[in-house]
Amino acid sequence: MKPILENRIKAFAVDYLIMGIIGFLIVALTDNLFLAMMIVYPIAMNKDFLNGKSIGKRLFGIQVQNLNNQKASEWKSSLRNFLPIIPLDLLFTFVSPTRRIGDRIAQTKIGIETEQNLKTLSSELKKYRINKELIFGIIFGIANIYGLLWLYGIILS
């Protein structure tokens, strides 16, 4: 269990550092925080779409899997990253390293998978075909950020 927790924390840090840099660059180039959120949030929700592995997960040999130890679908990979639960999820991860709240909602878990890494990324992308689960995940991400912005607007007004 301990290696999964450590690798999960490291992967999380790498993934969100990358997304933070992307968001910062968008804001720096456009001075538009809304645009940055509309781009970064769907990326955050769908970061594990390619064989259940984000860049951070690839670096540390872990994968989002369904409960049968197979790679999770794009939709499940998106659903598990629903933003409003992320702060609670971080705490829950320490109690249950393989299944945080988002994993329980999406019926997924984190497992060890070392064959697909940064070196295989190019060949995996060449074989990948966009499908309805990925499209639905992206739409879900955009709808969620609009919903959150609407909710925050109501709360802050």
Side-chain angles (χ1 to χ4, degrees):
M1 259 337 146
K2 192 173 180 185
I4 287 181
L5 177 60
E6 290 174 7
N7 288 347
R8 192 168 196 169
I9 291 168
K10 291 174 190 175
F12 179 89
V14 167
D15 291 336
Y16 283 88
L17 176 64
I18 291 169
M19 285 180 273
I21 290 168
I22 292 169
F24 175 79
L25 289 173
I26 293 169
V27 171
L29 293 172
T30 67
D31 198 28
N32 190 333
L33 180 60
F34 180 77
L35 177 64
M37 291 171 68
M38 294 304 295
I39 292 172
V40 173
Y41 186 69
I43 291 171
M45 286 191 70
N46 292 285
K47 64 184 172 32
D48 305 313
F49 84 96
L50 189 60
N51 292 319
K53 297 183 111 177
S54 63
I55 295 201
K57 287 179 183 68
R58 288 172 183 282
L59 286 171
F60 298 103
I62 57 176
Q63 177 184 48
V64 180
Q65 300 175 342
N66 64 28
L67 298 180
N68 296 324
N69 300 322
Q70 303 297 313
K71 77 168 181 82
S73 70
E74 292 89 341
W75 164 239
K76 286 187 174 194
S77 293
S78 178
L79 180 61
R80 66 185 290 281
N81 290 318
F82 184 53
L83 185 65
I85 62 173
I86 294 285
L88 292 174
D89 257 356
L90 292 175
L91 295 174
F92 199 81
T93 299
F94 289 100
V95 175
S96 177
T98 59
R99 294 196 70 210
R100 58 181 175 82
I101 296 169
D103 289 312
R104 293 176 191 281
I105 291 169
Q107 296 295 302
T108 58
K109 65 178 186 161
I110 293 295
I112 304 293
E113 201 293 315
T114 57
E115 290 183 23
Q116 297 161 330
N117 54 42
L118 286 178
K119 292 178 183 176
T120 63
L121 186 58
S122 177
S123 63
E124 289 175 66
L125 282 169
K126 287 178 186 172
K127 293 177 191 173
Y128 187 79
R129 298 294 175 254
I130 293 176
N131 60 52
K132 65 182 178 185
E133 289 197 12
L134 177 62
I135 292 169
F136 190 67
I138 292 169
I139 292 169
F140 183 62
I142 293 169
N144 277 295
I145 193 62
Y146 268 111
L148 286 172
L149 291 171
W150 173 79
L151 180 64
Y152 292 146
I154 288 176
I155 291 171
L156 296 175
S157 352

